[in-house]
């Protein structure tokens, strides 16, 4: 007599968990800062960046919402992840294959890309410089037009991927080989 109750309870729990998971996926897509992905392949090596893309919404971004000289999460919601299937160099710095969290330190004329060994943080939870794999200088320039959605993208040039971050009127980039 107890067997049907246990099976029925287990089925209800399974359905509830599946419903929560489906809702979480739908909720991510409807966030004000929806999930986004950038991918690049060089010589068979895959590089992927998963991030959330906030909107400017008329706000002053760099030097305002995002202060100069401070570690910034380079996105919104969950921390931005950087995954490489093989050893690569980022701005001349060796980065072993693996999964990392990336942050940025924006400045008016100079940015740094922070590649952090610790993963799984939520948003602004920068774990500190002891967890940095590297801090790499990025080139900074003005965009040709305002950029409403924070964007991370790759430009492929031969055996190089150029990681590019754009938002408001600023572009920061670094070469990956």
């Amino acid at each position: 007599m107890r067997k049907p109750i246990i099976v029925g309870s287990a089925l209800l729990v399974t359905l509830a968990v599946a419903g929560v998971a489906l809702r979480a996926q739908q909720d991510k897509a409807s966030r004000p800062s929806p999930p986004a992905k950038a991918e690049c392949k060089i010589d068979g090596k895959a590089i992927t960046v998963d991030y959330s893309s906030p909107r400017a919404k008329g706000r002053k971004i760099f030097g305002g919402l995002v202060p100069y000289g401070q570690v910034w999460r380079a996105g919104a919601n969950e921390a931005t992840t950087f995954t490489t299937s093989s050893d690569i160099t980022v701005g001349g710095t060796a980065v072993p294959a693996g999964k990392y969290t990336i942050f940025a330190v924006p400045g008016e004329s100079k940015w740094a890309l922070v590649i952090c060994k610790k993963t799984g943080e939520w948003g602004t939870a920068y774990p500190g410089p002891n967890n940095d794999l590297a801090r790499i200088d990025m080139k900074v320039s003005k965009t040709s037009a305002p950029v409403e959605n924070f964007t991370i993208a790759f430009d492929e040039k031969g055996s190089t991927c150029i990681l590019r971050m754009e938002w408001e009127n600023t572009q920061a980039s670094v070469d990956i080989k």
Side-chain angles (χ1 to χ4, degrees), residues 26-76:
Q26 291 170 341
D27 287 348
K28 275 188 173 185
S30 63
R31 290 176 176 173
S33 301
K37 179 181 281 204
E39 299 175 295
C40 189
K41 287 194 177 186
I42 42 176
D43 301 329
K45 299 172 184 178
I47 304 163
T48 305
V49 177
D50 289 292
Y51 67 104
S52 292
S53 175
R55 307 314 194 223
K57 297 179 184 174
R59 300 174 289 184
K60 170 74 176 139
I61 302 301
F62 298 113
L65 179 68
V66 178
Y68 289 131
Q70 295 182 22
V71 175
W72 171 56
R73 61 179 159 177

Side-chain angles (χ1 to χ4, degrees), residues 1 23-24 26 86 99 113 115 142 148 167 174:
M1 203 50 128
R23 187 169 178 197
Q26 291 170 341
S86 299
K99 184 174 183 177
L113 177 68
I115 300 177
K142 296 289 182 194
E148 174 66 21
W167 202 15
V174 65

Side-chain angles (χ1 to χ4, degrees), residues 117-141:
K117 297 178 282 188
K118 188 169 184 202
T119 60
E121 297 77 29
W122 176 265
T124 58
Y126 173 62
N130 291 342
N131 291 292
D132 291 357
L133 174 72
R135 285 191 180 217
I136 301 160
D137 288 342
M138 299 180 80
K139 298 173 195 154
V140 179
S141 61

Side-chain angles (χ1 to χ4, degrees), residues 78-175:
E78 297 88 356
T80 298
T81 61
F82 179 91
T83 308
T84 176
S85 64
S86 299
D87 297 351
I88 56 174
T89 61
V90 179
T93 300
V95 175
K99 184 174 183 177
Y100 303 92
T101 300
I102 58 172
F103 298 89
V105 181
E108 287 187 65
S109 60
K110 181 180 174 184
W111 277 40
L113 177 68
V114 180
I115 300 177
C116 180
K117 297 178 282 188
K118 188 169 184 202
T119 60
E121 297 77 29
W122 176 265
T124 58
Y126 173 62
N130 291 342
N131 291 292
D132 291 357
L133 174 72
R135 285 191 180 217
I136 301 160
D137 288 342
M138 299 180 80
K139 298 173 195 154
V140 179
S141 61
K142 296 289 182 194
T143 58
S144 58
V147 177
E148 174 66 21
N149 304 343
F150 172 67
T151 303
I152 298 176
F154 287 104
D155 298 319
E156 295 182 42
K157 290 188 178 180
S159 62
T160 301
C161 286
I162 301 167
L163 172 69
R164 180 172 37 87
M165 295 181 183
E166 294 181 334
W167 202 15
E168 191 182 33
N169 59 2
T170 302
Q171 174 181 290
S173 63
V174 65
D175 291 351

